[in-house]
Amino acid sequence: MILSEVTGTPLEEVDRAVPHGHRWMQAYMVKPRSDMLRHIRRVEAAGYKAIVLTIDEVALRRITYSNFEYPASFDYVNVPRPVIGGSVGDVENQIDTVTWDDVDWLKNVTRLPIILKGILTPEDAELAVRHGVDGVYVSNHGGRTLDGTTATINALWDVVRAVKGRCEIYLDGGIRNGRDVYTALALGAQAVFIGRPAIYGLATNGSQGVQDVLDILTNELESTMALTGVTRVCDISPSYVVKQSYYENQFPSNRFSAKFFG
Ligand SMILES: Cc1cc2nc3c(=O)[nH]c(=O)nc-3n(C[C@H](O)[C@H](O)[C@H](O)COP(=O)(O)O)c2cc1C
């Protein structure tokens, strides 16, 4: 599980609730670096196993059409700098532009693995590897920051080919059933994450609802594996999926019209 830093429960409390869970901490870059460093030390002390640095959102630069608001009573207990004000805008205003220099700095100040969340191109994936990151996380923030960004599943293959096994690759965005999980694993992701499906489960039936969502995805993944003759996750390979263009090349649309209506 990756804990967002924009959450209302102190990260230490989350740690205590799931002492044996596999927990990573999401972070945004803030300046001055002394504030960021204090935050990193807090994350380390709480026993989180990796830092997921989100790079696809910078200070209040959003071009989407969601009217998302946190409740007025929301307390920003996990952000690196004290919050002035109290709206989501006040917090996002504190997120600074992140540079490769920041990534190098982060790598130097902590032994925790650094994963870059928000990579969508092979060029950035190559740069991320060169800057020594431990994981490349293909994400478009759930399409919530910039309308029109590519679907992550379409970006994945080029990123996988650029990384060439030099670090792990993860993906989120639009995972809605077990077959989506299967497709991402087939194209080279080591793991996928979900955002909204977990929230929908939570809103519907609390923690049991989240568990149900995970169970449904697992069952569907297993069914997809069974129906494609795969018994181990590590055996899901690119040969099990084709792009839509494969069918377009096989059956050009004018061939149908010639045969049936010609
Ligand atoms: C309500 C909401 C809040 C989010 N907050 C953060 C955040 O604080 N940090 C972050 O890196 N991503 C955040 N995201 C993006 C998710 O981490 C994730 O990339 C995205 O939801 C995946 O797409 P999906 O919802 O289609 O699964 C948020 C998404 C939602 C829906």
Side-chain angles (χ1 to χ4, degrees), residues 4-6 26 28 54 68 70 117 137 139 141-142 144 172-176 193-197 199:
S4 163
E5 89 177 20
V6 194
Q26 182 266 324
Y28 289 109
T54 300
F68 181 79
Y70 286 84
K117 177 174 185 277
Y137 188 147
S139 176
H141 218 103
R144 300 172 66 249
D172 74 15
I175 299 287
R176 294 294 179 270
F193 292 88
I194 54 169
R196 275 159 294 194
I199 297 172

Side-chain angles (χ1 to χ4, degrees), residues 93-112:
N93 207 17
Q94 301 190 7
I95 302 169
D96 289 295
T97 305
V98 60
T99 66
W100 292 110
D101 194 40
D102 294 321
V103 175
D104 293 341
W105 173 81
L106 204 53
K107 281 290 300 173
N108 276 327
V109 297
T110 181
R111 289 197 174 161
L112 289 181

Side-chain angles (χ1 to χ4, degrees), residues 17-53:
V18 276
H20 306 298
H22 195 75
R23 279 165 294 93
W24 297 351
M25 186 74 206
Q26 182 266 324
Y28 289 109
M29 194 68 205
V30 298
K31 311 271 172 55
R33 283 177 174 171
S34 52
D35 282 349
M36 188 72 184
L37 187 58
R38 203 173 45 247
H39 183 62
I40 299 298
R41 296 288 175 259
R42 183 181 168 197
V43 171
E44 290 169 340
Y48 285 75
K49 295 286 182 284
I51 291 170
V52 179
L53 184 71

